[in-house]
Each structure stands twice: as structure tokens, then as C-alpha cells.
Amino acid sequence: MVNQQIAQIFYRIADLLEIKGENPFRIRAYRNAARTIESLGRNLQEMVEQGEDLTKLPGIGKDLAGKITEIIETGTLAKLQELEAQVPPGLVELLKVEGLGPKRIKILHDKLGITTLEELKNAAAHGEIHRLPGFGKKLEELIMKGVVLAKKEGRRFRWALAESYVLELLNHLGKAPGLKKAEVAGSFRRKKDTVGDLDILVTASQPHRVIEHFVRFPGVKNIISKGQTRSTLILTSDLQVDLRAVEAESYGSALHYFTGSKAHNIAIRSIAQKAGLKINEYGVFKGDKRIAGREEKDIFSAVGLPFIEPELRENRGEIEAAATAKLPQLITQKDIRGDLHMHTKWSDGKYSIEDMARAALRLGYSYIAITDHSKRMAITKGLDDEKLRQQAEEIERVREEVKGITILKGIEVDILEDGSLDLSDEALSSLDIVIAAVHSKFKLSRTQQTRRIIKALENPYVNILAHPTGRLIGEREGYQVDMEQVMNKALEKGCFLELNAQPARLDLNDVHLKLAKDMGLRVAVSTDSHNTDSLLFMRYGINQARRGWIEPKDVINTQPLDVLLRLLRR
Ligand code: DGT
Ligand code: CA
Ligand code: CA
């Protein structure tokens, strides 16, 4: 039993409970537990077998610990079967459609008998939906778009989730007889924010024995193919995994080929052709003679180029940059000196200011910013001017307690619909750092949304625009906004944009990051942590930054404190 199977059961229960309209806290508890399990890094089955106390895990109480044990012992959960008997199976899928919550899904089901995405699409196309009570034309259009997105996005996995499968798969493959090397290529190796499928490459003394072992991975739903040197599996989550065994002398070229991207490969191949060479997954050939193939770097040198990092291989200028010795020196996690976006118990975080500071100190950071929500975000217990003042006193106390790290006073202040901010200028002026964020009115027109954000940047106390597009990968598209205009304004006003490192956000995206870099606009890579563990999300941000060609100098939180403070003074 792998952790993801257990997490999936919990996610499924949460969805089913949601459709039934049950207690939101219960639903959230299941989702939180599922997230904990996904990112655990240790096998739950082993923990149970060794008699460890699961209730020590964040978000896992007695009840959920019991359910985990039940899943491990029986392979399933009575509660899940009970719920599945009560809810038609297709309905859960409808939750992925933007604009549809459990209540509306119930109406669609009761009035139109809709149980699948396909039926929903047809009903919307035939104009049957806008006539339902509480629906209307606008929502019908939104649903039409949402169905397409739900079908498309449903097939891709967030990188961080893909990684948890990769760890389990590589661990499993490591036990295969005669395995020499195993590595994941494809979009996963390029650190793309989402991954369509996993492409594993192996070398082995007897490849067929590795494949025999591969298909016995515990989380397999379907074995699509199983040959002598390649195999494809579908996991219970519907994630597809391709495995190919290659000869050691072809390993480098196969790794290059299957890392992609396709556009990059095609561009490299055409350079080779001009030099009279042929490149494929078996090697680089001059006539019939293989001149390279064992090492990936030799593929590049065969065409006269230095090694190009996988994150850059999108044919977005990396080949030209390589040819003219202008490749960026990509940022790494070691370059980061602090984290500028995090929440504490003062709003919707789980830990105290001191806990967060100590956790950051353990990561070797020299500064952090405490940035709780402002009052507009009522469900997060957002701060008003007075609470912010009280929090400042606590920060001063903690500064005395925790030495070796600088704690900046900050806020994640809401940008209201008209572009004004949720706290007074007086309150904002007392802070070291102000992050502004859109959390409401996502549906404004592009012009209005752009004007709103630009107005916020014109406030002289704002330093950073948080998660600039508001997207949630696989759940919600960002709002409509003219990012180039926003970036120009930020540059003009001495503000910065955030690269939010939450695996579901990764906002800005890679293309926007490169745009910012080319404009000379710096970014902050921040985790938006709500607990001490997620300070580690920094590495997802770094992955994304590298895809955006970002170097240490392009990031404000790679700078020493004195430089950072200067940058924050507008
Ligand atoms: P994904 O899985 O949609 O997230 O994206 P990739 O990039 O992992 O794509 P995938 O799994 O279809 O193929 C893996 C790599 O194999 C791809 O990045 C480049 C290479 N590849 C696949 N098909 C072709 C092709 O037709 N021509 C070339 N040159 N390369 C290909
Ligand atoms: Ca792939
Ligand atoms: Ca593939």
C-alpha cells in the first residue's frame, strides 16, 4: 500500500461528502489529512506495522488514524463504500467545473438528470442550464468553459504530487534484480508545473526482469503494455507511467530524447542535420558510426553546445543562448536567504511567530517576514489596524527571544475591488514589508482587474504583489489581467512580483518569470507558509524560477538583509 492510495481515498471521501452537503469542517479535515499523507516522505504502512502513533502527524486525529489503519489492513474503507453507494459516480467529477458547487450539482442532477461531464456539456450546449433556478446565462457560459478545462486539467498532475509517485516508483525499482540506473525524464525532469505522465528510463543487465518487477508496483490499476524493454502502467490515480530500458551506450541520448521538450529536441536535431549528423534516442551518428550516446552532455557537445539545464529545454531561446555563451546561471535553493510570505496563528496559520522564526532559522535563513492576512479575509481572522499593532509588539518580543534571524513586520493586505487597500496607510507605514493580494472579485473584466491592481501598486507602502494571477493549478484559472502592464507599473514604482511557491499556485508561471527577467523586474520567491513544514515549499518555487531563467540576482530574497531593506524602501 503506497501513501497516495490512502490519500486518494481521503480526497474521494471529501468530494463525496461535499456533494452530499455535509459539514465543511469534516470535509476540510479529510483534505488536510490527504495532503499530509501525500507529502509525508515515509511509508504509512511501515509506520503502522511498527506500531507508531499516527495521531502525532499534523491533521490526523484518532478517527482518521483509525481509518488509515483500516485501509492498510483491509485495502479499503467501509465509510467510502457507504458513501459511494449514496452518490452517482460521475457527480464527483462535476466538482472540478468552475462555478459548480455541491448545491448546484444537486440541482443539475435532480432537475436534468445530469451525472457526467459529457451530459453537463450537452445540457449547456442546448441551453438547458440557464433556465434552472439560480443559474442564468452567464453561469451557463462559465460552465461550458469549465467543462473543457476540467477535462483537460483532469489529466495532468501537479509536479509536487508527481514527485511523491516518483519517489515511490524509484524506491520500488531500486529493488529490481540487475537494475543499474533509473531516472525520470520528460516534463518531470524539466520541472514543469504539471506533468502529463512519467517517463522512466533504466539500464539493466536483464531488462525484462526489471519490467517484471516494475509491473508489480503496489499502486497499479492497469498494465497497458509489458514488453521486453518497455512497459506502460496506469496507477490507481490514473497517472500513466512509461518505462523504457536502454543500452548503456545509448543512455545519454535516450535521456536527452525523452527529457524533451519535443520542441527543444526538434531544434537540436535540425542543428545536427546542418552539421551532417543524425540524432535519435540511440545516439548521435555520422553516417553509420555512433559518435556520442553514453552521456547526455556529449549529445550537446556533438552539436557544439554547452550542457543546457533540463528546465530550460522548451525552445524558448535556450539554444541560441547556449550557442552564444549566454545561458543563465540558474538560481538554486542555496541562494535563498529568507522567506518573505508566511502566516501565523494571528490569522489562518497553525503556528506562532516564534515557531515560524525557529523553523526558518533551522533552514539557515537570515530573515523572514511575518505576513498575516488583513481584516477583509474574515474567514482567516484577518488583522485590523489594532490587531496589527498588537502583533508588532509580539514580534518585538520574539526578536529578543530568537537570535540569529531577523523577523520583519509585514502584512498580506487585501486589494479591495476599487484597488484601495484593506488597512490604513498609517498602519501600513509602520511595517517593514507590505504584500498586496487579490482574494476576491476574480470575475472583473481584464481592464478593470488590471486597473485595480495597478492602483494598489500606486500605494506608496506596497512592496510585493502576491500570487499575481490568482490561479490554482487544476482548480481555477487566474483572473484576467494584463500582466505586462502590471509589470511595467511595478518596475516604475519600485515594487516586486511574487513567485508563490505553493505547489498548487506556482504563480507567476515560467513564461511570466522570463518576461519579468527580460524587463529587469525582480521577484520574491516565497512559500506563503501556513505551517512550519511548508517553508520547504521553497524548492518548488526554485524549480519554477529556473524554468523562468531566473538567476540569483533576479530575486530579492537572495540578497543580504541590508540590500533587501534598501529594496523595500520605495
Ligand atoms: P507531459 O508528459 O505531457 O507532461 O510532457 P512530456 O514532455 O513528458 O511529453 P511526453 O511524455 O509525451 O514525451 C516525453 C518526451 O519524449 C518529450 O518531452 C520529448 C520526447 N518525444 C515524445 N514524442 C516525440 C516526438 O514526436 N518527437 C520528438 N523529437 N520527441 C518526442
Ligand atoms: Ca511525460
Ligand atoms: Ca510519456
Side-chain angles (χ1 to χ4, degrees):
M1 176 73 57
V2 298
N3 290 354
Q4 283 72 26
Q5 289 170 289
I6 301 169
Q8 252 155 35
I9 290 177
F10 283 3
Y11 277 129
R12 179 120 190 125
I13 289 184
D15 288 346
L16 291 164
L17 289 174
E18 194 160 19
I19 290 186
K20 290 191 68 199
E22 296 207 6
N23 182 344
F25 290 100
R26 196 81 206 112
I27 297 168
R28 202 169 314 145
Y30 275 106
R31 294 224 167 95
N32 286 342
R35 271 194 287 272
T36 297
I37 294 168
E38 267 172 9
S39 56
L40 199 56
R42 298 185 51 200
N43 185 282
L44 272 171
Q45 180 161 0
E46 284 168 20
M47 290 176 72
V48 168
E49 282 164 3
Q50 287 158 14
E52 285 188 49
D53 181 7
L54 300 181
T55 63
K56 295 231 169 74
L57 298 171
I60 310 276
K62 252 208 158 108
D63 175 50
L64 291 177
K67 291 204 162 67
I68 293 171
T69 312
E70 181 185 340
I71 297 170
I72 286 168
E73 282 168 359
T74 68
T76 179
L77 193 62
K79 174 84 183 169
L80 176 67
Q81 287 165 341
E82 179 194 314
L83 284 167
E84 283 187 327
Q86 295 165 359
V87 179
L91 286 188
V92 173
E93 249 191 334
L94 301 187
L95 276 175
K96 291 184 193 147
V97 177
E98 203 184 339
L100 286 189
K103 283 207 192 89
R104 285 184 174 141
I105 290 176
K106 192 165 184 321
I107 297 175
L108 288 165
H109 180 243
D110 293 350
K111 302 270 179 192
L112 300 175
I114 289 171
T115 56
T116 64
L117 278 176
E118 207 48 44
E119 288 167 8
L120 178 66
K121 191 172 113 198
N122 287 336
H126 288 100
E128 291 170 21
I129 287 177
H130 70 268
R131 277 182 252 123
L132 294 173
F135 278 73
K137 278 264 188 227
K138 254 189 138 159
L139 185 58
E140 188 170 74
E141 277 166 33
L142 187 69
I143 289 173
M144 287 280 271
K145 282 195 208 137
V147 171
V148 177
L149 196 68
K151 289 178 112 174
K152 194 171 68 188
E153 296 272 352
R155 279 188 250 125
R156 297 193 68 83
F157 290 71
R158 292 174 189 161
W159 190 90
L161 180 55
E163 186 195 35
S164 68
Y165 288 99
V166 163
L167 296 176
E168 304 261 13
L169 282 159
L170 292 181
N171 182 31
H172 175 73
L173 277 172
K175 296 172 193 141
L179 181 93
K180 287 183 184 147
K181 265 192 212 172
E183 204 169 343
V184 183
S187 51
F188 180 79
R189 183 164 179 244
R190 302 198 313 279
K191 312 279 164 62
K192 206 166 140 71
D193 50 13
T194 63
V195 167
D197 68 7
L198 293 175
D199 307 281
I200 303 181
L201 215 57
V202 300
T203 56
S205 47
Q206 291 173 291
H208 70 275
R209 295 190 64 196
V210 172
I211 289 187
E212 280 301 336
H213 180 84
F214 172 62
V215 300
R216 287 199 299 269
F217 183 66
V220 174
K221 180 159 95 181
N222 260 321
I223 301 175
I224 301 293
S225 69
K226 189 183 122 197
Q228 290 294 306
T229 60
R230 53 182 299 175
S231 168
T232 293
L233 305 177
I234 305 287
L235 305 185
T236 49
S237 59
D238 289 328
L239 177 62
Q240 179 176 322
V241 188
D242 296 338
L243 180 129
R244 294 177 189 81
V246 299
E247 299 292 335
E249 61 194 8
S250 291
Y251 186 78
S253 29
L255 184 59
H256 179 258
Y257 181 90
F258 291 112
T259 295
S261 67
K262 196 170 157 180
H264 167 92
N265 288 354
I266 291 171
I268 292 280
R269 212 183 312 141
S270 85
I271 297 179
Q273 272 162 2
K274 283 179 201 134
L277 301 173
K278 201 181 102 194
I279 290 191
N280 58 29
E281 60 264 54
Y282 303 105
V284 183
F285 298 88
K286 193 168 207 162
D288 284 340
K289 189 170 157 18
R290 187 201 313 261
I291 62 163
R294 191 173 286 270
E295 304 272 350
E296 192 182 45
K297 65 175 173 26
D298 299 342
I299 312 306
F300 290 105
S301 39
V303 294
L305 295 177
F307 181 80
I308 299 175
E309 299 282 358
E311 293 90 329
L312 296 177
R313 299 185 199 166
E314 299 290 343
N315 197 27
R316 290 187 195 139
E318 74 278 12
I319 294 171
E320 295 77 358
T324 52
K326 292 201 177 100
L327 282 174
Q329 293 299 312
L330 297 179
I331 187 169
T332 68
Q333 208 169 336
K334 288 201 298 290
D335 297 312
I336 295 292
R337 293 189 198 234
D339 196 331
L340 299 177
H341 186 167
M342 67 189 65
H343 299 264
T344 70
K345 277 185 189 161
W346 281 85
S347 66
D348 59 348
K350 297 279 178 296
Y351 291 85
S352 68
I353 295 168
E354 178 170 347
D355 293 334
M356 297 306 281
R358 291 200 188 280
L361 193 58
R362 281 195 293 276
L363 295 178
Y365 287 161
S366 51
Y367 51 78
I368 54 169
I370 300 297
T371 57
D372 276 302
H373 285 289
S374 64
K375 62 184 187 292
R376 180 40 132 12
M377 290 285 280
I379 51 161
T380 70
K381 304 185 295 160
L383 311 183
D384 56 17
D385 287 17
E386 172 54 23
K387 281 242 190 67
L388 189 62
R389 205 189 48 69
Q390 292 168 12
Q391 189 189 43
E393 286 172 11
E394 183 173 325
I395 290 179
E396 278 156 31
R397 273 199 306 278
V398 179
R399 281 176 179 169
E400 293 301 313
E401 285 290 314
V402 187
K403 297 291 180 194
I405 188 161
T406 300
I407 307 169
L408 301 177
K409 294 176 191 165
I411 189 81
E412 179 181 12
V413 65
D414 256 62
I415 302 176
L416 306 182
E417 185 176 357
D418 63 359
S420 63
L421 300 178
D422 189 25
L423 293 174
S424 70
D425 278 1
E426 195 199 342
L428 297 179
S429 73
S430 70
L431 299 170
D432 302 309
I433 179 170
V434 173
I435 301 178
V438 167
H439 290 120
S440 60
K441 299 282 174 189
F442 278 42
K443 297 269 142 44
L444 292 183
S445 74
R446 186 178 162 94
T447 317
Q448 282 174 305
Q449 197 70 274
T450 306
R451 199 182 304 142
R452 171 193 193 186
I453 292 173
I454 279 181
K455 183 162 174 224
L457 298 183
E458 278 166 350
N459 178 299
Y461 300 105
V462 170
N463 298 116
I464 297 173
L465 177 64
H467 39 72
T469 75
R471 74 162 177 176
L472 284 179
I473 298 172
E475 286 172 37
R476 160 178 99 195
E477 271 187 296
Y479 32 80
Q480 296 296 311
V481 61
D482 184 338
M483 193 52 74
E484 207 170 337
Q485 220 178 311
V486 168
M487 287 180 174
N488 272 314
K489 180 57 74 175
L491 199 59
E492 176 196 324
K493 294 289 171 188
C495 304
F496 308 99
L497 263 52
E498 180 179 86
L499 160 50
N500 188 295
Q502 294 271 327
R505 288 195 185 268
L506 294 174
D507 179 9
L508 299 171
N509 69 24
D510 48 2
V511 173
H512 284 144
L513 285 165
K514 178 135 192 293
L515 186 65
K517 184 197 166 86
D518 291 343
M519 286 169 58
L521 173 64
R522 278 178 281 198
V523 298
V525 187
S526 306
T527 63
D528 194 355
S529 282
H530 288 67
N531 59 61
T532 48
D533 287 341
S534 48
L535 290 170
L536 296 171
F537 288 169
M538 189 58 81
R539 65 197 190 88
Y540 305 128
I542 296 295
N543 286 348
Q544 175 96 330
R546 290 168 63 87
R547 286 183 57 81
W549 293 53
I550 297 292
E551 303 180 82
K553 67 174 170 55
D554 304 318
V555 174
I556 63 172
N557 50 317
T558 58
Q559 303 302 313
L561 181 67
D562 56 332
V563 178
L564 175 76
L565 291 177
R566 224 168 25 245
L567 290 169
L568 296 177
R569 226 172 291 133
R570 282 185 48 177

